[in-house]
Amino acid sequence: MIPLQKNAFLNEKETRRALADFIIQTERLSMGEKCREFKEVFAKKQGRTDAVLFTSGGGANLALFQALKNLGQLKNGDLVGFSGLTWSTNVMPIIQMGLTPVIIDCDPQTLNVMSHHLEEVLGRKKLQALFITNVLGFAGDLEKIREICKKHNVILLEDNCESLGTELPTGKTGNFGVASTFSFFVAHHMSTIEGGMICTDDEDIGEMLRIVRANGWDRNLTSAQQQRLRTKHNISSEFDAKYTFYHLGFNVRPTEIVGFLGLFQLQYLDENVRAREKNYLEIEKYVRKNDDFFTLNRDHLTTLSSFAIPIICKTSELKEKYAKIFAEAGIEIRPMIAGNIQRQPFYKIHVEEIRHLPGTDIIHDNGFYCGNYPELTEDDIQTITRCLEKNE
Ligand SMILES: Cc1ncc(COP(=O)(O)O)c(C=O)c1O
């Protein structure tokens, strides 16, 4: 059996042992020093000035939209573009925050929204923001997308929950938008069991995210930021300040376990991105040889940080055929993320407009993926590549 994932962590045994020791020895388990250290190291590694740690990627997405609303950068009813191929909690926060989701098609050969899709949408709609998903380690032509957003005054946000470590010649995914979200759920590139992050270089967004993350209060701000807020609202005593709530928020704070695991897993990340990329490139050779499949285009990427092997067949009949071959070989497969998100029940309840998305439909109807992780053995890879051979 080749499951979608084998372990909860990179270097499973060492991580579990270290986690057990940490829990026994640490005095504090609620958000503290380890969370602070992890977000600092992560921001530096990603190349952003600030990072804010959350309970999950979905929680980070929700907090990001709440923060932009609190700052007045987004208002009720504003149009927010997003990728047709995405995860539920990418678009749900757009709906939950009273914004208007505008779906954008994806290209079956890059799995992503491309600049020409965005231009087509901007020709008929005035977007206030674009929340683009970088899908399964792949990405669209993000430099061009960034330029278009700048020209049209669209706030570019990236859901990078599936693409930590992917690079383009002009930078890492997650560094093209004003802010970007990450997930550390098991089976992603690195795991804190549950966990998420937002990276940004924007001080106002960083400050507001800390308010939104914890109850709407100011306890996790710098003393200068606290002073400014307290003066503005005439809060003069520490007694009152501790229980003053300035903006709408949630409780989406991580625990020290998330901070500890994040730091511990980070040391293995680069080596694992390389191992997964190597697996992907080996398997891709067999995809290329078989014209039943689309070959995914990664020419514009300098690093493909993969954790899945997407197989996009030319027809839905071929998808059925290869899905059966994979199942019979004991390889676990699953649909392409959440597919064309318009087809999900929640979407139809909350969004009236359903659009024709030819590219996303191909991915939904003709695609599936199996797992890609460092523990795949040569035998496992051979089992996968055998399934990709064309047997007339
Ligand atoms: C694109 C995307 N966004 C957001 C999420 C949510 O992340 P989490 O599971 O950490 O809440 C996921 C989860 O897989 C995802 O794939």
Side-chain angles (χ1 to χ4, degrees), residues 56-59 61 86-87 89-90 133 159 161-162 183-185 188 194-195 337:
S56 67
N61 286 352
T86 190
W87 186 245
T89 55
N90 168 279
T133 300
D159 182 331
C161 288
E162 298 182 1
S183 167
F184 309 123
F185 180 58
H188 284 227
E194 297 277 6
I337 335 183

Side-chain angles (χ1 to χ4, degrees), residues 92-134:
M92 282 178 179
I94 299 175
I95 299 169
Q96 285 156 331
M97 286 294 131
L99 303 161
T100 308
V102 176
I103 200 156
I104 308 181
D105 202 9
C106 294
D107 174 359
Q109 289 193 267
T110 61
L111 305 178
N112 277 276
V113 166
M114 304 299 288
S115 53
H116 67 90
H117 295 121
L118 176 61
E119 276 174 330
E120 184 275 319
V121 170
L122 286 169
R124 53 186 169 78
K125 303 253 190 198
K126 169 72 193 102
L127 299 183
Q128 198 63 32
L130 168 64
F131 191 25
I132 201 165
T133 300
N134 300 320

Side-chain angles (χ1 to χ4, degrees), residues 132-179:
I132 201 165
T133 300
N134 300 320
V135 174
L136 294 179
F138 289 80
D141 48 349
L142 287 172
E143 292 99 349
K144 202 138 183 236
I145 286 171
R146 178 168 55 189
E147 264 171 45
I148 295 169
C149 285
K150 199 166 169 212
K151 186 171 142 206
H152 291 262
N153 272 327
V154 177
I155 303 168
L156 176 60
L157 309 163
E158 291 173 84
D159 182 331
N160 202 41
C161 288
E162 298 182 1
S163 294
L164 167 63
T166 290
E167 292 187 46
L168 285 79
T170 46
K172 296 178 176 173
T173 56
N175 287 356
F176 287 82
V178 175

